[in-house]
Amino acid sequence: MLKEMADNDFIVSKTDLKGKITYCNKIFMKMAEYKEEELLGEPHNIIRHPDMPKAVFKYLWDTIPTKQEVFAFVVNRTKNDNHYWVFTNVTASVDNNGKIIGYYSVRRKPNPEALKVIIPLYKEMLRVEKSEGVEASFKVLTDILQEKGVGYDELIISLQK
Ligand SMILES: Cc1cc2nc3c(=O)[nH]c(=O)nc-3n(C[C@H](O)[C@H](O)[C@H](O)COP(=O)(O)O)c2cc1C
């Protein structure tokens, strides 16, 4: 079953350097249908949905250690096999010396119009991933960016508006 975020809700989580959950807010638990003790210390892929192309997470993990923020549309799977879409922002958390000590993510309700673009895009990326691998799947995305003459952030942020 598809669950929807409320307009004013924010889903928040923090992870360690490896992506293990160190904090999540109440709305996270409500949407993901897990209790706090089932989430803390677990890898964030506990809510990974099989419809998500691997290339999106590769881009995420290639980018956040450079301290550049990442925006993405993500579908997550709940404990009871429901799913929900989010528009997410992921950033590095740094200490006073600028050293990365973990990562931080805030998600809000995605623009339904954006999902009309993202769902078929991810479907195609997943199809290509299965037959040709993750790099070819990423190329589906970069080809579209090139065709439109925009960067990744520009496309994703403009879709959410
Ligand atoms: C702060 C932060 C938040 C994340 N949030 C999610 C999330 O909501 N859903 C998700 O599937 N992956 C999320 N990830 C990515 C996961 O760490 C993981 O890369 C992804 O689920 C794919 O799983 P895999 O790397 O085992 O293939 C997040 C990572 C970080 C650093």
Side-chain angles (χ1 to χ4, degrees):
M1 189 192 80
L2 172 67
K3 294 174 73 169
E4 295 227 12
M5 288 187 70
D7 284 345
N8 297 320
D9 276 356
F10 288 99
I11 297 177
V12 181
S13 64
K14 291 186 198 176
T15 72
D16 65 10
L17 292 172
K18 293 190 170 152
K20 281 194 177 161
I21 300 169
T22 55
Y23 168 80
C24 50
N25 70 348
K26 286 209 172 81
I27 294 172
F28 187 116
M29 294 177 243
K30 187 176 139 204
M31 288 302 287
E33 301 166 351
Y34 284 99
K35 295 193 185 105
E36 191 172 38
E37 59 266 30
E38 295 174 307
L39 291 168
L40 296 183
E42 291 301 317
H44 217 306
N45 68 8
I46 188 171
I47 57 167
R48 188 201 198 295
H49 194 287
D51 286 353
M52 277 302 293
K54 284 198 176 95
V56 175
F57 296 120
K58 183 178 182 310
Y59 170 74
L60 173 80
W61 281 106
D62 284 348
T63 308
I64 52 178
T66 69
K67 298 185 189 168
Q68 192 190 312
E69 66 185 331
V70 167
F71 294 94
F73 292 92
V74 177
V75 62
N76 282 319
R77 179 157 77 171
T78 75
K79 184 175 178 182
N80 305 308
D81 218 6
N82 298 309
H83 63 282
Y84 58 97
W85 279 92
V86 298
F87 174 68
T88 188
N89 173 256
V90 187
T91 50
S93 303
V94 296
D95 68 11
N96 288 339
N97 301 314
K99 193 173 144 238
I100 299 179
I101 51 171
Y103 297 104
Y104 184 76
S105 176
V106 180
R107 309 154 183 93
R108 53 194 168 94
K109 185 178 173 175
N111 182 337
E113 291 304 310
L115 295 183
K116 289 183 189 165
V117 176
I118 291 293
I119 290 171
L121 170 64
Y122 283 2
K123 222 178 191 169
E124 176 61 8
M125 288 175 73
L126 207 61
R127 187 189 69 76
V128 172
E129 176 187 312
K130 284 187 176 138
S131 56
E132 297 169 54
V134 178
E135 246 166 66
S137 159
F138 194 64
K139 195 168 175 295
V140 172
L141 176 61
T142 52
D143 282 353
I144 288 174
L145 297 176
Q146 205 160 25
E147 191 186 295
K148 291 186 187 287
V150 293
Y152 173 82
D153 281 357
E154 209 180 328
L155 175 74
I156 297 300
I157 293 166
S158 70
L159 283 172
Q160 175 63 10
K161 274 182 187 154

